[in-house]
């Protein structure tokens, strides 16, 4: 039973570039949430996707956008990258919006130079 | 501001000792969960306690919840070196779908 998988594991970009991160939810899950975790901090909620729609959004600018596909996988896109976007980006899946507990992937480590 | 705050920020103990971490939050919750994160990895769910529950056990873990004080504690008994990790509390409020995480407690268990 495959858990949550994220790709790539590491990524290096420069300021101003755009990045796309990918997530496949745990088998049987239909909801995907994205979190940003700065070094030494707790995860911060970015947004949640359910039934291919953004259901809830945290306090992140419009540079952060996402998408959910019919197979429940999801992408996180970040435009106009800033140095402060350097972080571990975590994807979590659950069954139905608000379902719990959430199952997390190992994340994508994004470094902005 | 964050909903949850863990205390202490860092904790170092010897193998075999008990470790206690605390979490305080600000608004009414539906439930509170504890997660563990090993260095460079994702979060692993440990235990969920609902707002109408006061205590739950899972193996060597014991979680308490005091909604009047808006606080929770996680006790790890007979700690092992493998328990070395960061521990986070996450609250699910009565509205909304997301979970709010605190900054975490970094636990080091020395052999």
């Amino acid at each position: 039973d495959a858990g949550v998988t994220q790709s790539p594991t590491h990524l290096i970009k420069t300021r101003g570039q755009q990045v796309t991160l990918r997530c496949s939810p745990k088998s049987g899950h239909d909801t995907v949430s994205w979190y940003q975790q700065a070094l030494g901090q707790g995860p911060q909620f970015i947004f949640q996707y359910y039934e291919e729609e953004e259901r809830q959004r945290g306090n992140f600018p419009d540079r952060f956008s996402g998408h959910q596909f019919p197979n429940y996988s999801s992408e996180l896109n970040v435009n106009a990258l800033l140095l402060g976007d350097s972080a571990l980006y975590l994807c979590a899946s659950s069954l139905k919006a608000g379902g719990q507990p959430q199952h997390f992937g190992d994340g994508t480590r994004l470094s902005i130079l | 501001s964050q909903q949850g705050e863990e205390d202490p920020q860092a904790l170092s103990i010897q193998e075999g000792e008990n470790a206690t971490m605390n979490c305080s939050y600000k608004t009414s919750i539906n439930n509170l969960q504890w997660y563990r994160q090993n260095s460079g990895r994702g979060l692993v769910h440990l235990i969920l306690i609902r707002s109408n529950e006061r205590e739950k056990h899972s193996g060597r873990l014991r979680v308490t919840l005091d909604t009047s004080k808006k606080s929770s504690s996680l006790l790890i008994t007979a700690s092992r070196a493998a328990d070395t990790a960061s521990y986070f509390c996450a609250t699910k409020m009565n509205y909304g779908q997301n979970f709010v995480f605190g900054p975490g407690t970094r636990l080091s268990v020395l052999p």
Side-chain angles (χ1 to χ4, degrees), chain A residues 78-110:
Chain A
V78 187
N79 295 322
L81 288 166
L82 304 173
L83 292 177
D85 295 332
S86 293
L88 180 67
Y89 288 84
L90 295 164
C91 170
S93 74
S94 60
L95 180 59
K96 296 184 180 177
Q100 49 211 299
Q102 294 186 317
H103 293 253
F104 283 81
D106 282 340
T108 294
R109 172 69 65 184
L110 176 63

Side-chain angles (χ1 to χ4, degrees), chain A residues 4-113:
Chain A
V4 178
T5 58
Q6 293 186 242
S7 63
T9 54
H10 295 84
L11 202 52
I12 299 174
K13 291 285 188 179
T14 57
R15 283 179 296 174
Q17 285 189 311
Q18 177 266 343
V19 69
T20 297
L21 310 182
R22 296 177 175 82
C23 171
S24 292
K26 176 181 169 65
S27 178
H29 286 183
D30 57 9
T31 302
V32 172
S33 300
W34 287 93
Y35 292 84
Q36 180 194 66
Q37 185 178 24
L39 198 61
Q41 300 296 316
Q44 300 294 310
F45 175 74
I46 303 175
F47 42 54
Q48 182 183 76
Y49 277 84
Y50 172 64
E51 292 185 334
E52 301 181 49
E53 290 188 13
E54 183 182 296
R55 296 293 174 169
Q56 191 168 5
R57 189 179 183 92
N59 188 26
F60 279 81
D62 292 344
R63 298 186 298 107
F64 290 78
S65 63
H67 188 77
Q68 186 179 35
F69 299 93
N71 67 353
Y72 309 120
S73 66
S74 176
E75 288 182 349
L76 164 65
N77 301 291
V78 187
N79 295 322
L81 288 166
L82 304 173
L83 292 177
D85 295 332
S86 293
L88 180 67
Y89 288 84
L90 295 164
C91 170
S93 74
S94 60
L95 180 59
K96 296 184 180 177
Q100 49 211 299
Q102 294 186 317
H103 293 253
F104 283 81
D106 282 340
T108 294
R109 172 69 65 184
L110 176 63
S111 299
I112 310 301
L113 303 178

Side-chain angles (χ1 to χ4, degrees), chain B residues 20-93:
Chain B
T20 299
M21 289 158 269
N22 302 296
C23 170
S24 59
Y25 57 92
K26 299 176 181 176
T27 61
S28 296
I29 61 172
N30 178 279
N31 67 66
L32 185 146
Q33 302 178 39
W34 286 90
Y35 286 81
R36 184 187 75 232
Q37 184 178 35
N38 291 88
S39 181
R41 303 296 300 275
L43 281 75
V44 175
H45 180 261
L46 295 177
I47 197 164
L48 179 154
I49 186 166
R50 302 189 187 284
S51 60
N52 62 351
E53 298 175 313
R54 291 297 169 259
E55 186 172 315
K56 284 191 80 170
H57 296 254
S58 177
R60 294 184 295 114
L61 306 180
R62 172 178 170 254
V63 169
T64 62
L65 179 64
D66 187 334
T67 53
S68 67
K69 296 181 179 178
K70 291 185 170 60
S71 67
S72 173
S73 68
L74 170 67
L75 169 67
I76 304 174
T77 60
S79 63
R80 306 165 181 168
D83 295 328
T84 294
S86 291
Y87 291 82
F88 297 91
C89 69
T91 50
K92 170 98 171 47
M93 288 168 277

